[in-house]
Amino acid sequence: MIRKEYSKDLSAMNTFGMKVSCSLYMDYDAPEDLPGIDFQSLPAPVLHMGGGSNLLFTGDFPGTVLHSSIRYIKELSRTDDSCFIEAGAGIVFDDFVRWTCGKGLWGAENLSLIPGEVGASAVQNIGAYGAEVKDIIDRVLCFDTVDKEFKVLSGSDCEYGYRDSAFKGKWKGRFIITGVIFKLSVVPWARLGYGNLASMLPADTSTLSPSDVREAVIALRHSKLPDPSETGSAGSFFKNPVVSAGRFAKIEKVVRDEQGPDATVPHYLQDDGIKVPAAWMIDRCALKGISVGGAALYERQPLVIVNRSGNASPEDILALERLVIEKVKEKFGVELHPEVEHIKS
Ligand SMILES: Cc1cc2nc3c(=O)[nH]c(=O)nc-3n(C[C@H](O)[C@H](O)[C@H](O)COP(=O)(O)OP(=O)(O)OC[C@H]3O[C@@H](n4cnc5c(N)ncnc54)[C@H](O)[C@@H]3O)c2cc1C
């Protein structure tokens, strides 16, 4: 069944809390609803939305917002070491994680409490605490709006990268994800090497359960990130830049000129360069906590722009975004790029 609403208020449907609307909103219950939709006749453009937790609406949306209410979780099969679980695209991702942890299955626990829905998790390749959802995606179930047929894509078809996939690039807007098949581990697979996750758990990990790891991740996230039900945000606003060795040397020089020859720059070697935490760069520009209108950088994590007043306008957020990009560029010669998707009005 499809429910349609014209001039729908989206304020409560985007975690930034932007007070915007769309021309037409269509919420559907089942994959079988999709082939009957005449996409050409809908107010354009068409945006498929999940929980609205990675979107910045820059004003009222002139087109159609589609949303999936396909909600089920089921076990498909199991071997001695793996278990295949299928989840509908409209399931809240954290409900899926709670479900798998409750069954003693490993693989999703480090991704606890990431806002949003299962469908979008496969678009975004969500990640946290050293895990990415691509590690547990086996297949993605889709409706192809071009060929007008259902397709099953393998994880490798989706060309996953850091918070990236073919759904955000060459397939943008083409596939509607209806469900995801995850491959979880029946045998213990604790990944505790990232940040201070291990310090939150007992030294003897032999009796650890996925739910123990989930609780530790939730406690860490509560201490660092704003709760979307209290403070509007879209999580990390900027991507961590990957720079060349030459640029990295220049960043080191800037810091050493300021702080002395022993000063270091946090970094992680990647196949394509050197990743430098954007939060660290923003901090070094003395921008922590800065505000523009109702928008501000979150005090505990400068990578996050928050709707501090609850009434921040898209212009406030965009002005703060520009300010951060400009200051970081001025100081380090590095251009930050937003992770949050800007939806044009
Ligand atoms: C407080 C906070 C903390 C966060 N922490 C993290 C984190 O730790 N790690 C991380 O990776 N992200 C994090 N995020 C970002 C966000 O949670 C993820 O990007 C999430 O996957 C977005 O899911 P969503 O359902 O809200 O999707 P939306 O924001 O609604 O959409 C995201 C994209 O997916 C597309 N899409 C949605 N559903 C479908 C579908 N069924 N078919 C096809 N395309 C679809 C949309 O068109 C859009 O391009 C955080 C956000 C917040 C607010």
Side-chain angles (χ1 to χ4, degrees):
M1 188 176 145
I2 302 179
R3 289 162 293 279
K4 284 187 182 181
E5 263 183 78
Y6 290 91
S7 304
K8 169 95 172 163
D9 178 9
L10 299 175
S11 310
M13 305 175 81
N14 69 99
T15 57
F16 245 134
M18 294 296 100
K19 295 179 173 48
V20 295
S21 63
C22 64
S23 296
L24 174 60
Y25 182 81
M26 290 171 70
D27 183 73
Y28 60 93
D29 290 328
E32 295 70 37
D33 293 323
L34 294 170
I37 298 177
D38 176 7
F39 288 91
Q40 302 306 320
S41 70
L42 298 174
V46 175
L47 168 72
H48 198 296
M49 200 170 146
S53 62
N54 198 56
L55 307 178
L56 172 62
F57 284 95
T58 59
D60 288 335
F61 184 66
T64 304
V65 168
L66 274 179
H67 181 256
S68 163
S69 285
I70 304 174
R71 297 198 183 103
Y72 64 89
I73 306 181
K74 64 182 179 197
E75 181 172 327
L76 297 180
S77 62
R78 191 180 270 255
T79 63
D80 284 347
D81 45 32
S82 309
C83 183
F84 290 86
I85 305 291
E86 183 177 325
I91 288 277
V92 169
F93 189 81
D94 192 54
D95 290 347
F96 160 76
V97 179
R98 192 185 328 107
W99 191 94
T100 59
C101 289
K103 300 265 178 209
L105 298 170
W106 292 88
E109 61 285 348
N110 291 32
L111 306 175
S112 292
L113 218 62
I114 297 181
E117 298 173 358
V118 162
S121 75
V123 172
Q124 301 289 109
N125 186 22
I126 56 170
Y129 294 98
E132 288 181 299
V133 78
K134 76 171 171 56
D135 305 337
I136 55 168
I137 288 183
D138 184 63
R139 278 160 289 166
V140 182
L141 314 178
C142 301
F143 179 67
D144 183 342
T145 60
V146 172
D147 293 346
K148 308 260 180 260
E149 60 184 26
F150 290 101
K151 288 189 176 156
V152 179
L153 305 168
S154 70
S156 58
D157 289 336
C158 301
E159 297 174 5
Y160 285 120
Y162 165 61
R163 303 292 177 277
D164 201 17
S165 71
F167 298 109
K168 297 177 86 170
K170 66 180 184 188
W171 292 337
K172 181 79 186 148
R174 173 171 178 176
F175 289 101
I176 294 177
I177 297 175
T178 57
V180 179
I181 298 177
F182 297 95
K183 184 182 179 189
L184 295 143
S185 180
V186 173
V187 292
W189 181 31
R191 286 154 302 160
L192 310 177
Y194 191 92
N196 45 355
L197 186 53
S199 69
M200 305 277 294
L201 291 159
D204 175 10
T205 56
S206 60
T207 57
L208 214 57
S209 72
S211 294
D212 295 333
V213 179
R214 169 174 166 77
E215 274 171 35
V217 168
I218 288 176
L220 279 170
R221 291 184 68 95
H222 277 317
S223 70
K224 289 190 175 149
L225 289 164
D227 177 349
S229 67
E230 290 167 7
T231 309
S233 87
S236 300
F237 195 92
F238 298 99
K239 288 184 181 164
N240 290 315
V242 176
V243 301
S244 65
R247 174 53 57 193
F248 184 75
K250 286 185 180 147
I251 298 171
E252 258 182 347
K253 181 170 176 344
V254 171
V255 175
R256 287 183 179 159
D257 285 351
E258 274 179 9
Q259 296 175 5
D262 296 333
T264 55
V265 176
H267 61 281
Y268 307 90
L269 295 180
Q270 310 280 298
D271 292 342
D272 53 346
I274 303 170
K275 187 190 276 185
V276 182
W280 177 88
M281 293 182 147
I282 296 169
D283 242 358
R284 288 295 167 286
C285 294
L287 288 170
K288 206 169 183 177
I290 196 167
S291 60
V292 174
L297 289 187
Y298 191 53
E299 299 76 10
R300 282 184 255 167
Q301 172 49 279
L303 208 50
V304 177
I305 292 183
V306 290
N307 180 351
R308 169 64 62 222
S309 66
N311 286 311
S313 63
E315 290 73 26
D316 293 343
I317 311 265
L318 292 168
L320 183 53
E321 174 190 358
R322 280 194 301 273
L323 179 72
V324 171
I325 291 174
E326 189 188 299
K327 294 289 176 195
V328 170
K329 176 96 183 169
E330 212 173 88
K331 188 171 181 100
F332 295 114
V334 174
E335 179 134 0
L336 293 183
H337 294 282
E339 182 175 324
V340 172
E341 187 175 336
H342 294 46
I343 307 295
K344 290 202 183 90
S345 51

